[in-house]
Amino acid sequence: MFIGQYDHSIDDKSRLTLPARFRDALADGVVLSKGLDGSVDVYPRDAWQTTIAERIGGLDPLSAEARTLQRLFFGGAAEDTPDKQGRVLLPSHLIRYGSLVKDVTVIGTHDHLEIWDRSTWVERLEGIEGSADHAAERLAAQRV
């Protein structure tokens, strides 16, 4: 399970060193993709298959909304295998998408990691912390 928050930097060659505690789980390769909220997401290959490929790939291609999601996820994805130092190459289109500069925050979100521009993450986190109790209440009401 991917949990926690880690401050890292993108080097001059557009590589990001993944948090050390997750390197074993990601050693067999990752899929980097555009996230729904403006982050760059990092999935272990097997989690990508079950979380994204099967669910998004299985949507009806005659639906405009399905095609939009398929284009976002599959068209914006890239595969990589971390090197011995745990670094992955961030493609330029994903750097642009996430508005990533140098300083980033990597957060664990259960089955994958999200990469955020550090200042964007600070702003986003303030909003999350301010609305989490309301979201929890709405989700709890759906279980009734």
Side-chain angles (χ1 to χ4, degrees):
M1 179 169 44
F2 298 101
I3 59 173
Q5 176 176 309
Y6 310 86
D7 289 336
H8 285 263
S9 296
I10 298 172
D11 70 16
D12 294 337
K13 296 180 180 178
S14 299
R15 297 175 300 188
L16 173 69
T17 302
L18 298 170
R21 70 179 297 174
F22 303 131
R23 290 185 194 154
D24 287 343
L26 301 171
D28 291 336
V30 299
V31 177
L32 301 120
S33 72
K34 296 175 179 179
L36 288 175
D37 297 315
S39 64
V40 174
D41 294 351
V42 182
Y43 287 88
R45 281 196 178 116
D46 58 341
W48 169 266
Q49 184 61 35
T50 57
T51 303
I52 301 299
E54 290 176 10
R55 293 179 73 188
I56 304 293
L59 295 174
D60 185 349
L62 297 178
S63 161
E65 291 175 328
R67 291 191 308 272
T68 296
L69 284 178
Q70 290 168 343
R71 288 176 186 132
L72 177 77
F73 282 98
F74 299 125
E79 292 182 286
D80 198 9
T81 301
D83 66 13
K84 292 182 190 231
Q85 289 78 36
R87 297 176 300 196
V88 292
L89 178 66
L90 296 173
S92 59
H93 72 277
L94 290 177
I95 289 173
R96 277 191 309 277
Y97 177 80
S99 300
L100 306 177
V101 186
K102 181 172 181 63
D103 296 325
V104 299
T105 299
V106 178
I107 64 164
T109 57
H110 180 65
D111 66 345
H112 69 283
L113 300 172
E114 293 180 351
I115 305 167
W116 291 88
D117 171 75
R118 194 170 300 160
S119 60
T120 302
W121 174 246
V122 169
E123 292 173 15
R124 179 67 96 163
L125 185 58
E126 288 174 7
I128 291 169
E129 290 171 342
S131 65
D133 55 342
H134 298 294
E137 224 172 280
R138 285 191 305 276
L139 291 171
Q142 290 178 5
R143 294 192 77 177
V144 175

